[in-house]
């Protein structure tokens, strides 16, 4: 599988010029390939790359601690809402929090880089879950005390905390705050049985 992803990456028509020495370093991490190279280049998204996993260039070393440190936005949803609300409503909460965090920190250099037209097609987000409202509020407090810029989305008019989204950060700066959380995995089959579709 990994060799198929590599060969597909180097056949993309977007990368048309040859890279001169030094040769790029390729590092494997789950289904994502990060290419660390002193020159900046970008790739465009295509259906092939979306099917096989993300293939993208790394961010500038000036904004990250390490040259191959990916910039990521963390989005945290509540499992109790995932199990009881329609899927679209929960996705909407994540979208609200993500956009609000980006807009709230729109002048931040890392946010500007994350939304730059050269990087817009290779955004990285990690969607996690907490059990319920208490855990959501505890996480918000932990992020606040740690100096991590984020948005706690409060659904109105009910005033319910539904989601947290961080501003974009180099992953190495924020991953420790989220290492105990589970990846968000909604079982569509379970939801379809509950709501009859």
């Amino acid at each position: 599988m990994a060799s198929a992803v590599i060969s597909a990456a180097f056949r993309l028509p977007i990368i048309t010029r040859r890279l001169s020495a030094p040769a790029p370093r390729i590092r494997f991490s789950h289904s994502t390939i990060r290419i660390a190279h002193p020159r900046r280049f970008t790739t465009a998204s295509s259906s092939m790359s979306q099917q096989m996993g993300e293939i993208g260039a790394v961010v500038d070393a000036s904004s990250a601690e390490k040259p191959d440190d990916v910039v990521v936005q963390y989005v945290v949803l509540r499992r109790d809402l995932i199990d009881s609300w329609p899927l679209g409503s929960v996705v909407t909460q994540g979208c609200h929090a993500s956009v609000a965090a980006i807009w709230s920190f729109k002048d931040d250099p890392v946010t500007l880089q994350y939304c730059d037209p050269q990087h817009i097609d290779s955004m990285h987000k990690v969607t996690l879950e907490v059990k319920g409202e208490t855990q959501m509020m505890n996480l918000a407090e932990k992020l606040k005390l740690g100096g991590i810029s984020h948005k706690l989305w409060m659904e109105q008019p009910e005033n319910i905390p539904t989601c947290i989204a961080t501003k974009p950060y180099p992953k190495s700066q924020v991953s420790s705050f989220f290492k105990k959380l589970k990846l968000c995995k909604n079982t569509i089959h379970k939801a379809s049985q509950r709501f009859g579709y």
Side-chain angles (χ1 to χ4, degrees):
M1 174 69 181
S3 61
V5 172
I6 292 172
S7 62
F10 291 104
R11 282 188 273 154
L12 288 174
I14 301 303
I15 303 173
T16 56
R17 63 181 178 149
R18 297 187 122 218
L19 299 173
S20 60
R25 296 184 328 260
I26 299 176
R27 189 178 83 176
F28 296 93
S29 172
H30 303 291
S31 63
T32 302
I33 297 177
R34 295 185 191 99
I35 303 172
H37 196 278
R39 288 188 173 184
R40 285 173 65 187
F41 64 94
T42 60
T43 60
S45 63
S46 67
S47 59
M48 181 175 71
S49 65
Q50 290 169 350
Q51 291 171 0
M52 299 182 73
E54 293 178 4
I55 301 170
V58 299
V59 299
D60 291 321
S62 62
S63 67
E65 289 182 354
K66 297 182 245 177
D68 59 349
D69 194 7
V70 66
V71 174
V72 65
Q73 183 180 36
Y74 281 88
V75 177
V76 183
L77 298 166
R78 287 174 44 183
R79 168 48 64 187
D80 61 331
L81 298 182
I82 294 168
D83 290 339
S84 59
W85 287 16
L87 178 60
S89 297
V90 176
V91 171
T92 299
Q93 300 306 304
C95 293
H96 287 331
S98 177
V99 171
I102 294 287
W103 185 254
S104 297
F105 303 100
K106 65 183 178 294
D107 297 325
D108 175 80
V110 179
T111 301
L112 289 170
Q113 177 186 1
Y114 185 78
C115 296
D116 184 274
Q118 291 182 321
H119 300 113
I120 200 83
D121 290 331
S122 59
M123 288 185 190
H124 291 269
K125 284 187 177 48
V126 177
T127 305
L128 304 169
E129 64 181 49
V130 293
K131 289 181 181 179
E133 182 175 343
T134 302
Q135 293 79 15
M136 178 74 63
M137 299 308 289
N138 289 343
L139 176 60
E141 186 62 27
K142 180 179 172 183
L143 294 173
K144 183 178 177 182
L145 292 173
I148 302 302
S149 299
H150 66 282
K151 175 65 178 177
L152 171 62
W153 185 258
M154 302 292 287
E155 182 63 10
Q156 298 301 330
E158 300 87 355
N159 205 36
I160 299 171
T162 59
C163 186
I164 290 176
T166 65
K167 79 165 193 67
Y169 277 100
K171 188 173 183 179
S172 65
Q173 290 182 9
V174 292
S175 61
S176 63
F177 289 90
F178 301 98
K179 65 184 175 184
K180 293 183 180 179
L181 301 182
K182 294 179 182 178
L183 284 173
C184 183
K185 296 180 180 177
N186 187 23
T187 52
I188 305 245
H189 176 70
K190 188 175 174 182
S192 67
Q193 287 177 341
R194 178 178 290 125
F195 297 109
Y197 53 80

